[in-house]
Amino acid sequence: MRRPDPGHRDDRLPRFTRAERWVHHTTALLMLACLATALLLYVPALSAAVGRRDLIRPLHVWCGFALPVPMLLGLLSRAFRADLRRLNRFGPHDGEWLRRADRRAVMRVGGLDRGVVPVGKFNAGQKLNAAFTAGAVLVMLGTGAMLAFPGPWPVHWRTGATFVHDWLFLVVALVTAGHLWYALRDRGALTGMLTGRVDRAWAARHHPAWLDAFDGARRTPPASPEEEEEKDTPAIRE
């Protein structure tokens, strides 16, 4: 395999592998299916209009139980595990990103508009969203299991599980709607998740530290072609 020219600057940068995109898309579809079936079950007008509760209820239950499966399978991917570590690591720039009102401001450097905050591959908002989603999936899975299989649980436990499950559903629906709104507004991020690649200009504006780390990794060739073939993604560190 030919090694890349260290001086070459590609305008399309690899951001997510196929495995990472599969995990994201599958989880998103399952989450949307859970939200849609929950609306059909709990909103009387929709429930009466659609009917077929005998079909919708088991679909809701099994989509809920399947939610963690893509993420668990994703652990087989080294790139996915690396991104989980990035999402789980908060640094000083994350606090700065949350505090600053001008967090999306840019300055002209080297012919590119670069973000004023040195954001890595993920900004603090994306990290908080990932943490909330992971926690919500676990809580919804636990409370949903108590509601789907009520036999072993006392009545007051089931009552509490119903309260938590229903109200957390509303919060998850709001967070999911906000996530979709931001994604549709940011075409660069949406393209990155759909195709796995982003423009250099977008990376400089929104994730300048990640772009610098990517370019630094490109300037350091691997020890052998075999090492290069084994890598899922460039060795990028925030």
Side-chain angles (χ1 to χ4, degrees):
M1 179 182 295
R2 187 177 66 179
R3 293 184 181 180
D5 179 5
H8 176 65
R9 289 167 61 88
D10 190 0
D11 285 335
R12 298 286 293 171
L13 311 178
R15 182 163 172 83
F16 296 113
T17 64
R18 184 177 299 176
E20 291 177 290
R21 301 198 308 276
W22 177 86
V23 171
H24 180 273
H25 301 333
T26 308
T27 303
L29 288 175
L30 289 171
M31 180 67 77
L32 291 175
C34 286
L35 293 175
T37 51
L39 281 173
L40 294 176
L41 289 171
Y42 292 114
V43 177
L46 292 176
S47 183
V50 176
R52 299 302 303 272
R53 289 181 65 90
D54 57 332
L55 175 64
I56 295 172
R57 186 178 182 279
L59 181 62
H60 177 78
V61 170
W62 288 112
C63 285
F65 284 137
L67 259 179
V69 174
M71 289 178 276
L72 292 175
L73 293 176
L75 295 175
L76 298 174
S77 165
R78 178 164 44 184
F80 182 74
R81 296 196 304 271
D83 276 354
L84 284 183
R85 288 192 292 270
R86 294 187 183 98
L87 287 167
N88 196 41
R89 185 182 303 130
F90 277 76
H93 62 277
D94 293 312
E96 183 183 3
W97 189 91
L98 291 171
R99 289 191 302 269
R100 293 182 61 155
D102 64 340
R103 64 177 67 94
R104 300 191 186 278
V106 297
M107 54 185 176
R108 194 71 175 177
V109 178
L112 289 174
D113 290 333
R114 291 177 58 91
V116 296
V117 181
V119 178
K121 188 170 185 179
F122 303 104
N123 62 43
Q126 291 168 322
K127 293 178 180 181
L128 290 175
N129 180 71
F132 169 79
T133 301
V137 167
L138 291 176
V139 173
M140 295 295 270
L141 184 64
T143 55
M146 294 174 65
L147 299 177
F149 306 104
W153 315 105
V155 174
H156 64 281
W157 281 34
R158 299 200 302 270
T159 302
T162 301
F163 177 84
V164 172
H165 199 82
D166 291 352
W167 281 101
L168 186 54
F169 153 72
L170 295 176
V171 178
V172 171
L174 289 174
V175 172
T176 302
H179 180 72
L180 290 172
W181 183 68
Y182 273 107
L184 292 175
R185 288 179 63 208
D186 190 343
R187 295 302 177 90
L190 186 62
T191 300
M193 185 52 70
L194 291 175
T195 68
R197 289 182 169 269
V198 295
D199 292 331
R200 177 176 290 274
W202 178 89
R205 176 180 287 270
H206 297 282
H207 302 273
W210 176 70
L211 175 62
D212 292 342
F214 179 87
D215 287 339
R218 289 285 294 269
R219 287 192 293 268
T220 306
S224 66
E226 288 74 17
E227 273 188 33
E228 189 175 79
E229 291 177 359
E230 291 176 357
K231 292 185 177 179
D232 295 277
T233 58
I236 299 172
R237 295 179 64 86
E238 291 184 12

